[in-house]
Amino acid sequence: MSALIKSSLARKVVMALSGLFLVFFLGQHFVINITSVIAPDTFNSWSHFMGYNPLVQYLLQPILIAGVIIHFVMGFALELQNRAARGVRYVSYKGSANSSWVSRNMLISGAVILAFLALHFYDFWFPEMAYKYIEVNPEDPTRYLVETAHKFEPMWRTLLYIIAFVLLALHLLHGFASSFQTMGVNNKFSSGIKTFTKIYAIVIPLGFIFIALYHHFNPITH
């Protein structure tokens, strides 16, 4: 039993650390993407830098992909472990009386977000890899805004992104604050951290939704 507890705690810590890393990346990703609305030239410049800088491409990008894999693998492993530990569920158990819907369905929201990431890779990462390493096209620092806006022209894709970001917000509302709890953050700053995580969990996904809708309703024709 002691070994099981230690194993579960270790997995929670790994999931919390990888989650905090991904939250940081999400914020950085948003800062870049919002410039596609307010400063297109800056968006092209930053996107080109991220796409061709060796440090980003060969160090940070693999770390990011590893962080995504680790976070979701740990999440699924913990959920399966928790279900096995509960054993037979009591008929009279009412989950809503003890926890929120979000906290009881982190596996569902996580699975949908994972599917969204697969779509995001299909829409942006794979074409980028093909452009640079398969087709071996010349560098074009001005192509990023057009390519990004083009992806949001179909309504069905825009709606998929909106749904994914709504679920991401729900996932963050519980997971972001829980990561700090898992790391043992319990001091005079805890209330402020909890408030910050809630604001972040709402504002950042809403910002991404705004970006998707903006490009859908303002297509680039050239």
Side-chain angles (χ1 to χ4, degrees):
M1 180 64 71
S2 176
L4 180 62
I5 293 174
K6 290 181 180 179
S7 174
S8 177
L9 179 60
R11 289 175 179 174
K12 287 180 179 179
V13 170
V14 171
M15 188 169 71
L17 287 173
S18 60
L20 290 173
F21 168 72
L22 294 177
V23 165
F24 172 80
F25 166 76
L26 184 70
Q28 176 260 333
H29 199 52
F30 172 74
V31 169
I32 293 176
N33 281 16
I34 194 62
T35 61
S36 69
V37 174
I38 62 178
D41 290 339
T42 300
F43 176 74
N44 280 328
S45 177
W46 286 359
S47 297
H48 183 261
F49 172 82
M50 297 294 287
Y52 284 89
N53 183 272
L55 179 64
V56 174
Q57 289 297 298
Y58 303 120
L59 179 63
L60 298 182
Q61 187 169 258
I63 291 175
L64 172 62
I65 294 174
V68 170
I69 294 172
I70 290 170
H71 186 70
F72 284 99
V73 167
M74 288 296 102
F76 289 126
L78 280 169
E79 179 64 20
L80 293 175
Q81 180 177 305
N82 291 337
R83 290 186 179 186
R86 284 197 294 266
V88 180
R89 298 184 178 182
Y90 293 102
V91 176
S92 60
Y93 173 77
K94 295 182 179 180
S96 59
N98 301 287
S99 59
S100 66
W101 181 92
V102 177
S103 63
R104 287 182 285 110
N105 293 277
M106 289 292 282
L107 187 65
I108 296 175
S109 60
V112 174
I113 293 168
L114 191 60
F116 157 71
L117 285 174
L119 173 64
H120 193 62
F121 269 63
Y122 174 80
D123 278 345
F124 294 99
W125 191 75
F126 288 119
E128 182 70 9
M129 294 300 102
Y131 184 96
K132 291 188 296 186
Y133 302 118
I134 298 176
E135 301 169 6
V136 196
N137 289 311
E139 290 188 33
D140 180 4
T142 65
R143 65 185 170 88
Y144 300 95
L145 179 64
V146 175
E147 292 175 356
T148 299
H150 176 69
K151 293 297 181 180
F152 294 107
E153 288 178 4
M155 175 56 78
W156 66 267
R157 180 180 274 110
T158 302
L159 288 175
L160 282 179
Y161 272 80
I162 291 173
I163 293 170
F165 283 123
V166 169
L167 286 170
L168 175 62
L170 294 175
H171 195 80
L172 287 173
L173 278 170
H174 175 73
F176 195 4
S178 295
S179 295
F180 285 100
Q181 293 176 2
T182 300
M183 299 307 299
V185 178
N186 187 17
N187 50 43
K188 63 181 181 179
F189 301 108
S190 297
S191 178
I193 290 174
K194 189 173 183 180
T195 300
F196 169 75
T197 60
K198 287 183 177 179
I199 294 173
Y200 188 99
I202 294 173
V203 171
I204 297 300
L206 278 179
F208 277 110
I209 290 174
F210 167 74
I211 293 169
L213 288 173
Y214 177 88
H215 288 303
H216 175 74
F217 290 109
N218 296 275
I220 296 177
T221 57
H222 60 278

